Amino acid sequence: MSAIIYKKISEFIDSNESLSSLKSPILEQAKLNISDDIAKGHWTTNLCLIAGNMSKQNPKDIANDLKEHLIQIKIIEKIVVAGPGFVNIFLTQEEFLKQITQLTKFESKLTPDQRERIQIEFVSANPTGPLHVGHGRGAAYGDTLIRVLKFIGHVVEGEYYINDAGRQIDILACSIGLRAYKILNKNFPVSAYQGEYIVNIADKISNEIESVKDLELSLSDLPDDPEKAIDHLINLIKDLSIKNWNKFRNTGLNWVINSIKSDLKSFNVSHDTWFLESSMGDLIDKKSEIYKSINSLDTANTYEKDNALWLKSTNFNDDKDRVLVRADGRGTYLASDVAYHKNKLDRGFNKIVNVWGSDHHGYIKRIEAAISSVGYDESQMQVQLVQFANLFEDGKKMKMSTRSGNFFTLRELIDRIGADAARFFYLSKQADQHLDFDISLAQLNNKENIYYYVQYAHARICSLEKKYLQEEDRLPRSFNSYAFNVCDPLIQKSLKFDEIIHFVAKDLEPHLIVFFLRDLAHSFHQFYNDKNILKSPKQERDNIIFSLLQIKSIIAKSLELLGIKALEEM
């Protein structure tokens, strides 16, 4: 329907001498939307306000001219010019009802040339321990973006970047080694990983390692600074037995990665690719990917200072230039990120989306500089910042620290409230805003719990279906009369689906689906409470049931895009 109206609007602008030269900016800013209030039309546009402002004409005059142009469309019953120049469009009742049956075919609106190949990298938590509830928000967010973008017709791949080549993995290996060598809590360094999972990993391999001497004695002479102390221990454990060290490192890394994969699977999240940072090699190897990537940087954006190689990221509005390669030849985190982002774009993606924690905000400019400096357009990367969720229970905020071992795991949350409820609550607020996740609220079975309220709407329609089939052989397959108008406000609300999905895909804001479901569920429950559906006259009853079947389908599809299964009973 929007395509038919939009085409007529485009023709109107072309036919108007004072507007035709402004066509592109007018259409770029103007909106054609499903009306929020059906009493004000089925569709509404602010185009005449935009056009009037740009052309210095009276918007109402433009609106009246547009009205005469649009009324020629046979499926439009009337047009009302409202306020300072809004154009409200009323369809024929038949065309209005046809919209809902067309919508529930859930067909892609993209043409082949509009389809893009998109990669979304998300979660990518350091593989140093199980995922905690802070990571769950980014997992739900990234996975939902993939579902929505695939739904509208794009080719989308999800990726997890495994930081397996940095200091944090050395700390993991060191922590496991200390436990395997039976270093108990009294002497266990505070800067090591403290969680029970470290003990469990160490116990599994304690009988497979070589014996070493004098480790306890070495612990008595550690630097006072916790970070210097852990670095000292890393070198010490490596020197004691490189064979043991490799065992600690490889076993620990594999255990954590498998734990992350298992938890994400239970959370209904999947990644197409698990990319190892270590696969890009080392800077000392001239054949490695990281070496070639650093040497492919535009020399106009790099320079040497103090025997180090720097990226001139201030050319891209960064607050200072950044070191790529240290004076001793070791690469920084940025060097790996340069190689990784080049690798992603070399794979042919039109767009790459990085879903990062909000604490990475300052990292965006330097990565834009890197992308541009290896020959790509920085606009090909889009960064979506996600605030970590704060978890509350009984009014108390839970701490989230992997190092200290004091954290509530994603697995525990799934076990407590279920993956679907958890995903819904994670997605219930704009991702870059703080989210306080109340476990107690998520477990309520009343309308205060929006997840329950939405699922209850779907389950109620399923119940109506079953009761209807106790009296009839089959469910209605179409409207039996296009004069039917009992469900008009509810249908109008549900027709917002396409519009909402468009905005989610355009702005990468999946919380809009939750808002849509909340409003649609509210409208349905009001209708259900006000109308004795199954006692209505047969023709009306059948049309109501058919309408509700379409709405049930829209609720189920919306939940599916959130990675949630619609419930048939509560």
Side-chain angles (χ1 to χ4, degrees):
M1 173 50 58
S2 60
I4 296 171
I5 299 173
Y6 187 86
K7 182 181 178 182
K8 208 67 176 174
I9 287 173
S10 180
E11 292 173 358
F12 166 74
I13 295 174
D14 288 337
S15 67
N16 190 308
E17 290 184 10
S18 60
L19 300 181
S20 58
S21 63
L22 299 169
K23 182 176 181 178
S24 291
I26 289 173
L27 292 179
E28 188 176 318
Q29 292 188 39
K31 295 178 181 179
L32 175 64
N33 301 115
I34 296 280
S35 300
D36 292 325
D37 182 357
I38 197 170
K40 296 180 180 178
H42 298 117
W43 290 82
T44 186
T45 181
N46 66 346
L47 179 131
C48 301
L49 296 172
I50 302 298
N53 182 56
M54 289 187 179
S55 65
K56 308 305 178 186
Q57 297 182 66
N58 187 328
K60 270 202 164 182
D61 292 340
I62 299 174
N64 284 317
D65 290 343
L66 178 60
K67 173 182 175 180
E68 296 306 314
H69 201 79
L70 292 179
I71 201 66
Q72 299 170 27
I73 304 175
K74 292 181 180 179
I75 56 178
I76 292 178
E77 186 171 274
K78 70 174 180 176
I79 295 173
V80 175
V81 175
F86 290 101
V87 175
N88 296 334
I89 302 164
F90 293 80
L91 305 177
T92 63
Q93 186 64 13
E94 178 178 353
E95 191 59 33
F96 170 67
L97 293 176
K98 282 182 177 179
Q99 286 183 112
I100 190 73
T101 53
Q102 182 63 36
L103 172 61
T104 51
K105 293 178 182 178
F106 300 120
E107 297 173 331
S108 171
K109 303 295 190 296
L110 293 183
T111 59
D113 62 318
Q114 290 175 318
R115 293 190 175 98
E116 291 186 309
R117 190 160 171 251
I118 302 169
Q119 187 223 55
I120 297 179
E121 184 231 317
F122 66 113
V123 187
S124 299
N126 280 338
T128 54
L131 295 177
H132 60 59
V133 294
H135 298 122
R137 193 177 190 190
Y141 176 82
D143 185 71
T144 300
L145 291 185
I146 291 172
R147 292 169 186 270
V148 170
L149 292 170
K150 280 183 176 180
F151 171 71
I152 68 169
H154 293 300
V155 178
V156 193
E157 295 179 27
E159 184 153 305
Y160 192 116
Y161 179 57
I162 303 172
N163 298 94
D164 67 328
R167 177 172 176 264
Q168 295 303 318
I169 304 303
D170 284 345
I171 297 175
L172 173 69
C174 178
S175 305
I176 294 168
L178 290 170
R179 292 300 190 191
Y181 291 141
K182 306 304 180 184
I183 302 303
L184 303 178
N185 292 339
K186 183 177 71 173
N187 293 321
F188 201 76
V190 295
S191 48
Y193 288 107
Q194 310 285 322
E196 187 66 25
Y197 69 97
I198 297 293
V199 177
N200 294 337
I201 297 170
D203 286 345
K204 290 181 180 179
I205 59 174
S206 59
N207 294 326
E208 304 172 22
I209 60 175
E210 299 174 337
S211 61
V212 296
K213 297 179 180 179
D214 302 327
L215 180 57
E216 285 276 11
L217 186 63
S218 302
L219 292 176
S220 63
D221 191 29
L222 292 176
D224 292 333
D225 180 84
E227 296 305 316
K228 290 181 179 178
I230 198 70
D231 288 338
H232 175 83
L233 284 168
I234 288 169
N235 292 327
L236 176 65
I237 294 177
K238 283 181 181 179
D239 291 342
L240 285 170
S241 170
I242 194 64
K243 181 180 177 181
N244 284 358
W245 173 263
N246 289 334
K247 187 74 172 177
F248 302 147
R249 187 186 187 283
N250 295 336
T251 303
L253 187 60
N254 288 335
W255 186 95
V256 172
I257 291 173
N258 287 333
S259 167
I260 290 171
K261 286 183 176 181
S262 175
D263 289 349
L264 289 176
K265 183 179 180 181
S266 297
F267 199 46
N268 204 15
V269 170
S270 63
H271 291 82
D272 300 287
T273 305
W274 292 74
F275 188 98
L276 291 167
E277 179 186 357
S278 60
S279 68
M280 296 185 294
D282 196 282
L283 279 170
I284 61 173
D285 179 5
K286 292 186 178 181
K287 294 181 179 180
S288 70
E289 186 173 354
I290 189 170
Y291 179 88
K292 291 176 181 178
S293 296
I294 295 302
N295 280 273
S296 73
L297 288 163
D298 186 344
T299 54
N301 293 327
T302 62
Y303 62 93
E304 290 190 11
K305 182 178 116 177
D306 301 329
N307 295 319
L309 180 67
W310 295 69
L311 178 67
K312 200 169 185 180
S313 52
T314 48
N315 285 350
F316 298 84
N317 298 316
D318 197 3
D319 57 352
K320 61 181 180 180
D321 295 338
R322 309 289 174 172
V323 176
L324 285 163
V325 183
R326 300 179 180 93
D328 61 6
R330 291 179 301 122
T332 61
Y333 283 120
L334 181 58
S336 295
D337 283 332
V338 168
Y340 178 50
H341 282 81
K342 183 177 185 300
N343 177 289
K344 291 201 280 189
L345 290 166
D346 283 348
R347 284 183 254 163
F349 294 107
N350 304 105
K351 181 190 294 183
I352 57 175
V353 178
N354 294 338
V355 179
W356 290 347
S358 58
D359 55 334
H360 284 66
H361 180 271
Y363 215 71
I364 298 173
K365 290 299 179 185
R366 68 192 80 169
I367 299 300
E368 289 178 347
I371 286 172
S372 180
S373 298
V374 295
Y376 288 102
D377 190 330
E378 63 196 74
S379 67
Q380 287 180 261
M381 178 188 75
Q382 186 170 348
V383 175
Q384 295 300 116
L385 297 175
V386 177
Q387 290 278 359
F388 271 10
N390 297 316
L391 189 67
F392 285 81
E393 186 172 29
D394 299 327
K396 294 179 181 178
K397 182 179 176 181
M398 298 183 175
K399 294 181 180 179
M400 301 297 154
S401 171
T402 306
R403 278 265 199 124
S404 69
N406 181 18
F407 58 92
F408 196 96
T409 66
L410 181 61
R411 169 67 64 181
E412 289 175 287
L413 181 66
I414 294 169
D415 290 344
R416 286 282 295 277
I417 67 171
D420 287 353
R423 287 182 67 117
F424 192 92
F425 274 87
Y426 276 128
L427 296 165
S428 64
K429 198 171 182 181
Q430 191 167 314
D432 60 358
Q433 295 179 358
H434 286 283
L435 173 67
D436 290 337
F437 195 136
D438 188 337
I439 291 181
S440 303
L441 177 61
Q443 293 174 306
L444 292 178
N445 290 334
N446 60 40
K447 65 180 182 181
E448 289 182 44
N449 179 349
I450 302 174
Y451 170 72
Y452 176 87
Y453 196 55
V454 169
Q455 288 282 23
Y456 189 36
H458 186 272
R460 267 183 158 176
I461 298 175
C462 291
S463 176
L464 283 170
E465 281 185 59
K466 292 174 184 175
K467 291 175 181 176
Y468 179 91
L469 288 171
Q470 290 173 2
E471 299 179 16
E472 303 290 342
D473 293 334
R474 68 180 188 183
L475 294 167
R477 298 180 181 179
S478 63
F479 290 109
N480 57 45
S481 168
Y482 283 124
F484 172 72
N485 61 7
V486 174
C487 292
D488 281 9
L490 192 53
I491 291 172
Q492 179 74 1
K493 184 77 71 175
S494 67
L495 288 171
K496 283 275 188 180
F497 173 84
D498 263 353
E499 189 176 285
I500 294 298
I501 298 304
H502 167 77
F503 286 125
V504 172
K506 174 177 170 287
D507 300 325
L508 306 185
E509 295 187 337
H511 69 280
L512 295 175
I513 300 176
V514 175
F515 291 1
F516 166 73
L517 282 169
R518 177 199 62 197
D519 293 345
L520 183 57
H522 179 71
S523 295
F524 165 74
H525 287 304
Q526 279 190 326
F527 177 82
Y528 182 92
N529 292 333
D530 292 343
K531 187 79 174 174
N532 193 337
I533 296 167
L534 297 177
K535 295 297 183 182
S536 300
K538 185 179 187 310
Q539 185 178 27
E540 180 179 286
R541 180 201 62 177
D542 290 354
N543 281 326
I544 293 174
I545 291 296
F546 181 73
S547 299
L548 295 183
L549 290 176
Q550 310 314 302
I551 288 161
K552 186 193 84 165
S553 181
I554 291 167
I555 292 173
K557 177 59 70 175
S558 299
L559 288 170
E560 179 188 323
L561 292 175
L562 297 176
I564 296 169
K565 182 181 179 181
L567 299 179
E568 295 188 2
E569 56 185 31
M570 302 292 286

